[in-house]
Amino acid sequence: MVWTVLSLGMMLVAAKLLAGNGRSAAGWALAFASAAPLVAIMNLAKAVFIWLALLGLAGFAVTLATGLTNRSQGQQASAES
Amino acid sequence: MQRDTTKRFYAVHSWVGAITAVLIFIIAFTGAVSVFGRPEIKTWAHEVSHVPAELDPLRIEQVLREDAATVPEAYLDNIQVLMPGVRRRPVLSVQFDREVETADGRTEHHIIRFDHDPKTYELVDRLEGEPREVFENEPKDLADFIITFHADLHLGDPIGLLLTGLLGLTLFASIVTGVITHRKVLKEAFTFRPFRSLRLLFTDSHKVLGVWGLVFNSAIAFTGAFLGLAVVLLLPAAAYVSFEGDLDKMVETYLPLNEPQKSGIPAELKIAEVLSAVDQPENGPIVSAQLLTGTDQAGVAHVYTLAGDGIGGETHRYQLNGTVLESVTSQFSQLGGAAGPILDAMFPIHFGNFGGTVVKLIWFVLGLGTALLAVSGSMIWVERRVHGSSGSLSVASYRRISRFTVGACCGVVLATVTLFHLQLFVLPQVATTQTWLMGTFFGSWALAIVWSMLRTNDYQTTRELLGLTGAAAALVPIANGFVTGNHLLNVFSGGHWVVAGVDLGLLLLGAALVVIALKLPSQRPLRKSENRQSASPSSGLSGDLAYPEASTS
Amino acid sequence: MSEDTLFPRPVSRVLAATLGVLITAVLITTAMPVYVPFSQASSVVVPIVLFPVTWLLIFLWVLFEQKMWRAWLGLLALSGLHLGLILSGVGVL
């Protein structure tokens, strides 16, 4: 469990870096490096499946958090009575 | 030409999604809940299993011998011991199986099953009959109900499985056409603008859920289609070609049980050493143990475990005489070639039960994402027809579709939560558990749909249903504490960790739903620009097609 | 361009894309063990696992084929060919 959580943490940081700059070398490197804790403790197929799932989860979490906290991306919709 | 092709892909994506959205939501949501069906929710549902029982091989062996002494000898060649709190059983079950040749040459099975309290090993129930009959007659709980509903919508075999299998195919088609239509979607992967406009909220949500859930959703659609269609359609068809339609014969040919040849030398039934040998940290939890010709010196034991280091469960085959390990194989490794590893991966990838609680949590969250993907697409489809220039039906008709969607989707979530209350207050006291489960679930779901259809403001209805569901979910841990005495505040002394986990999950989800309900608008926000867009004289599809590109401006 | 222009003959097309494609895909999957070069169990299992891909390819082809008569002809040809393989495998043909 600890290693999977570590992998998720690394993936979240990678996603945050890539959200800011899609070409960030550090972001891409960290994204792939986040597979290492998983490969270290389980067989490759299992590690790949979990890594792919973590990629989706991290990307979604960072995108959601950025969108919800960054109101300057656009005006708030006005309600019509 | 390329624009026409993109338009066609978009139209296919739009229509397949619109038709299947509500069903995909229902199956995805109940699927997400089912990830924790066995054993977590099942453990929560039965007070006898709240505090996990330590595996005591010697006591289990003693119980096995006591039960065996009460059944005819013909039942002793195939014995299964099912462990409590690992998958399907809240209690320890010892099951004796006898094969019977019928007059027309078929083989039928007759079982006698003893259920024991997992801590005291006291006998709590004895059932007998054909396996299917025993399964159908035993009391059901909310975990069984939700899992079965996800698998076949309670429409049974073959209609239900066919339907869910076909929905897997349509989800697969939606994913592929969606990716082809939104070629810029990878560039927009991090774009989420929930406060700019309602239309951008829906479209950005749909795209974000689609991109980040792409691998997961594809895997779920693919494996879901396989699981639904293989058993009822494709395997019987294959059996028709190669085995004259005899599916059992095909399974026996490709996955033989490898029953040992009897030596004729009697032996005492034993299981303790084998269980101790397998119960090691590198192996997954033991699900069950099967003894074949256990009363003979040549007897073998198959011990089935959940995934350990690998992705699928394993079978540890032991010679009982001397407790000699013969092999450790995966469920389908006997098939050889590519077939074995592929099938071994299909079930764990779909169920998310190959990596402990963390992987289950990931599958749960991504599964909810699949459900929200379907409903956000439905919102886009309705929005363009009620407030845009698309569609050939009247605005009133599209509003009715919208109200039905709200009632059906919010309603299924509400209905699922009501089952937790039913499990606490009613099911332990009644014999007709399935009737109560069906009545409560479908009754509360129907009420939600009727409520939604009678109301005119979808936004307010959504707030009401989500708020009610959230409150009901948050109350479950409190109710559990009153009924069973096991709650979040005494988990350290009580040791009921799984129960606390389920309670905490319901509390957090309930609170989240209440907060979301309070923050949602009570009516549709409008912008002046949307009024101008709805008046533009574009044809349905070209107006729609301008929409994905326009959203990035 | 309206949907009718993008997808001419919608009723026939929907029928082909639903029932027609499903039947054809099942027949192809059932007959594949006759000609795929895999071991005995794999020749049954692999086509079944790949069924969603088989179905999707035919589904998209039927929807995108401009002339419905070509779509139906294609479905009938594929179904007929594979039904023939099934029946010869069973020993009827």
Side-chain angles (χ1 to χ4, degrees):
Chain A
M1 186 191 274
V2 170
W3 294 107
T4 310
V5 172
L6 174 63
S7 183
L8 175 62
M10 290 168 72
M11 187 68 86
L12 282 167
V13 175
K16 187 72 186 150
L17 289 170
L18 290 168
N21 172 14
R23 293 175 198 275
S24 161
W28 283 109
L30 196 56
F32 283 102
S34 67
L38 299 172
V39 173
I41 58 158
M42 59 185 75
N43 80 18
L44 187 61
K46 189 165 167 174
V48 166
F49 283 119
I50 296 176
W51 183 79
L52 287 170
L54 288 177
L55 176 71
L57 191 67
F60 176 67
V62 165
T63 307
L64 189 70
T66 308
L68 288 174
T69 53
N70 190 0
R71 285 177 178 253
S72 64
Q73 279 198 23
Q75 295 170 346
Q76 191 165 356
S78 58
E80 189 169 280
S81 60
Chain B
M1 183 67 76
Q2 192 175 357
R3 191 175 161 84
D4 280 354
T5 304
T6 309
K7 280 184 185 178
R8 287 196 189 99
F9 274 109
Y10 181 81
V12 170
H13 179 78
S14 179
W15 280 105
V16 170
I19 291 166
T20 60
V22 171
L23 280 171
I24 296 284
F25 178 92
I26 290 164
I27 290 173
F29 173 75
T30 51
V33 176
S34 296
V35 168
F36 286 107
R38 292 171 184 146
E40 289 82 6
I41 296 177
K42 205 169 239 309
T43 299
W44 181 94
H46 298 273
E47 202 176 334
V48 70
S49 54
H50 276 195
V51 180
E54 289 286 328
L55 184 74
D56 186 343
L58 287 170
R59 285 300 303 275
I60 294 173
E61 184 173 90
Q62 181 186 355
V63 156
L64 166 67
R65 288 176 178 167
E66 286 169 1
D67 292 341
T70 68
V71 304
E73 203 177 316
Y75 286 85
L76 299 181
D77 283 343
N78 187 349
I79 305 170
Q80 281 202 67
V81 179
L82 302 143
M83 300 302 154
V86 182
R87 287 280 327 265
R88 294 171 188 260
R89 312 296 308 154
V91 294
L92 173 71
S93 297
V94 182
Q95 181 172 295
F96 301 87
D97 189 323
R98 180 173 73 110
E99 281 186 4
V100 179
E101 281 280 335
T102 59
D104 54 358
R106 287 184 302 113
T107 304
E108 280 182 359
H109 290 261
H110 190 269
I111 62 170
I112 303 174
R113 198 180 82 204
F114 299 81
D115 290 341
H116 296 266
D117 184 292
K119 291 184 203 55
T120 65
Y121 296 90
E122 190 186 318
L123 181 69
V124 297
D125 204 356
R126 183 188 187 281
L127 301 109
E128 186 172 345
E130 280 192 29
R132 199 181 186 104
E133 189 187 312
V134 168
F135 174 75
E136 278 171 6
N137 290 338
E138 65 181 353
K140 301 290 183 290
D141 56 35
L142 83 150
D144 299 322
F145 185 90
I146 293 168
I147 291 167
T148 307
F149 186 66
H150 168 71
D152 67 16
L153 298 170
H154 281 291
L155 295 173
D157 176 354
I159 301 285
L161 285 173
L162 268 174
L163 182 56
T164 52
L166 289 173
L167 284 167
L169 291 178
T170 59
L171 178 59
F172 195 53
S174 293
I175 291 167
V176 170
T177 52
V179 169
I180 293 171
T181 305
H182 298 89
R183 274 187 289 271
K184 281 196 229 170
V185 74
L186 287 177
K187 282 187 193 171
E188 298 167 11
F190 290 104
T191 304
F192 182 55
R193 297 156 295 184
F195 305 113
R196 194 159 144 183
S197 73
L198 196 67
R199 195 170 256 203
L200 278 181
L201 169 64
F202 291 159
T203 55
D204 281 359
S205 298
H206 191 70
K207 281 190 274 186
V208 165
L209 288 164
V211 167
W212 294 112
L214 183 62
V215 174
F216 175 81
N217 292 334
S218 304
I220 290 297
F222 197 88
T223 54
F226 169 82
L227 291 172
L229 297 173
V231 170
V232 296
L233 188 61
L234 301 174
L235 284 172
Y240 172 74
V241 175
S242 314
F243 294 90
E244 296 162 350
D246 192 337
L247 185 57
D248 288 338
K249 197 171 160 192
M250 184 169 88
V251 171
E252 180 57 32
T253 302
Y254 290 140
L255 296 170
L257 202 48
N258 290 329
E259 288 187 37
Q261 290 280 2
K262 283 190 177 180
S263 67
I265 306 168
E268 197 175 18
L269 269 178
K270 56 178 184 171
I271 198 172
E273 285 174 28
V274 164
L275 289 177
S276 298
V278 176
D279 186 27
Q280 302 298 326
E282 64 269 19
N283 296 328
I286 298 173
V287 178
S288 64
Q290 184 177 26
L291 302 180
L292 298 172
T293 61
T295 52
D296 186 277
Q297 285 266 0
V300 298
H302 290 162
V303 183
Y304 303 100
T305 63
L306 293 179
D309 293 336
I311 200 165
E314 289 174 330
T315 303
H316 303 249
R317 182 177 161 105
Y318 278 82
Q319 283 179 25
L320 285 168
N321 187 16
T323 313
V324 177
L325 177 63
E326 281 189 3
S327 63
V328 180
T329 54
S330 63
Q331 190 178 3
F332 295 102
S333 58
Q334 283 177 293
L335 295 176
I342 289 172
L343 284 183
D344 281 331
M346 292 291 254
F347 297 85
I349 288 172
H350 194 81
F351 301 150
N353 62 353
F354 60 92
T357 307
V358 174
V359 171
K360 282 195 174 191
L361 276 168
I362 296 169
W363 251 240
F364 174 74
V365 172
L366 291 174
L368 289 183
T370 312
L372 291 173
L373 179 66
V375 81
S376 60
S378 176
M379 287 175 187
I380 295 169
W381 189 86
V382 164
E383 179 76 4
R384 288 182 189 173
R385 282 149 181 83
V386 173
H387 299 286
S389 55
S390 308
S392 53
L393 299 178
S394 66
V395 168
S397 298
Y398 290 117
R399 285 191 195 279
R400 270 193 288 273
I401 292 170
S402 176
R403 291 202 293 270
F404 175 78
T405 303
V406 166
C409 294
C410 293
V412 78
V413 181
L414 175 64
T416 303
V417 170
T418 62
L419 292 186
F420 284 86
H421 291 277
L422 183 78
Q423 182 70 53
L424 282 173
F425 292 108
V426 178
L427 293 187
Q429 276 83 43
V430 300
T432 54
T433 53
Q434 186 69 354
T435 307
W436 276 93
L437 284 161
M438 291 282 227
T440 305
F441 183 84
F442 289 108
S444 49
W445 193 11
L447 279 173
I449 293 174
V450 166
W451 176 251
S452 184
M453 295 304 289
L454 290 174
R455 309 274 280 158
T456 54
N457 183 343
D458 289 349
Y459 292 83
Q460 189 59 23
T461 310
T462 306
R463 295 181 82 211
E464 288 161 359
L465 289 174
L466 288 183
L468 179 62
T469 306
L475 282 173
V476 169
I478 300 170
N480 186 29
F482 274 117
V483 172
T484 67
N486 294 324
H487 47 80
L488 287 165
L489 298 177
N490 66 357
V491 64
F492 287 100
S493 56
H496 45 273
W497 293 102
V498 172
V499 174
V502 174
D503 277 349
L504 185 62
L506 285 165
L507 189 63
L508 290 173
L509 285 170
L513 284 175
V514 169
V515 167
I516 291 168
L518 291 171
K519 286 202 174 289
L520 282 176
S522 56
Q523 57 190 4
R524 181 177 183 277
L526 286 177
R527 290 178 69 202
K528 291 179 188 171
S529 59
E530 286 178 294
N531 284 330
R532 285 200 295 273
Q533 273 186 354
S534 65
S536 69
S538 56
S539 70
L541 267 187
S542 60
D544 284 351
L545 193 65
Y547 185 73
E549 280 73 33
S551 71
T552 61
S553 61
Chain C
M1 180 175 283
S2 70
E3 284 181 351
D4 280 348
T5 320
L6 284 176
F7 299 108
R9 303 181 69 89
V11 174
S12 174
R13 195 173 299 271
V14 166
L15 202 60
T18 51
L19 276 175
V21 169
L22 186 63
I23 292 169
T24 306
V26 171
L27 287 171
I28 290 174
T29 301
T30 306
M32 263 192 189
V34 175
Y35 59 80
V36 291
F38 300 140
S39 67
Q40 195 180 17
S42 293
S43 67
V44 170
V45 170
V46 173
I48 290 176
V49 169
L50 290 178
F51 177 80
V53 177
T54 309
W55 175 87
L56 183 66
L57 290 173
I58 308 172
F59 177 73
L60 290 176
W61 169 66
V62 164
L63 285 176
F64 281 61
E65 174 54 67
Q66 277 291 88
K67 309 268 186 217
M68 273 318 298
W69 68 263
R70 281 206 293 246
W72 279 111
L73 187 65
L75 288 176
L76 284 168
L78 281 171
S79 298
L81 172 67
H82 286 85
L83 185 61
L85 288 171
I86 292 168
L87 293 175
S88 75
V90 170
V92 171
L93 285 184

